[in-house]
Amino acid sequence: LKNYCVIFNLQQQRRAKMLDELVKKLRPFTVAEIAYKTGVSVSTVSNILSGANKNPGIKTVEALQNFLKTKE
């Protein structure tokens, strides 16, 4: 059980770091542009960018990553 808790904690830390990096890359864009081009609601994008939502769904994260790919 102890090893499971350590692994789970490491996974949470990795996810948090990945989300922080994603948010940094999204900062130059407006919430409206991100929401419109990803299909993610304005409130969800806003909550992610503000840190209110620290655990977005995988589909949401994929949509945000795909948005950034189009901006490269």
Side-chain angles (χ1 to χ4, degrees):
L1 183 63
K2 182 179 178 184
N3 287 338
Y4 174 78
C5 291
V6 170
I7 291 168
F8 182 75
N9 190 35
L10 287 173
Q11 289 173 338
Q12 283 183 314
Q13 290 173 353
R14 285 188 197 128
R15 279 195 306 264
K17 184 177 179 183
M18 289 172 57
L19 185 59
D20 288 344
E21 290 172 9
L22 180 63
V23 167
K24 273 186 203 176
K25 292 176 182 176
L26 290 169
R27 290 249 178 251
F29 308 100
T30 66
V31 170
E33 179 185 9
I34 297 167
Y36 178 75
K37 293 187 176 175
T38 61
V40 176
S41 73
V42 170
S43 62
T44 297
V45 173
S46 181
N47 286 339
I48 291 168
L49 294 180
S50 71
N53 181 349
K54 295 206 177 273
N55 192 24
I58 188 70
K59 296 287 185 189
T60 300
V61 173
E62 287 173 350
L64 297 174
Q65 288 173 330
N66 289 337
F67 168 79
L68 288 173
K69 285 180 186 176
T70 67
K71 299 298 183 177
E72 291 177 344

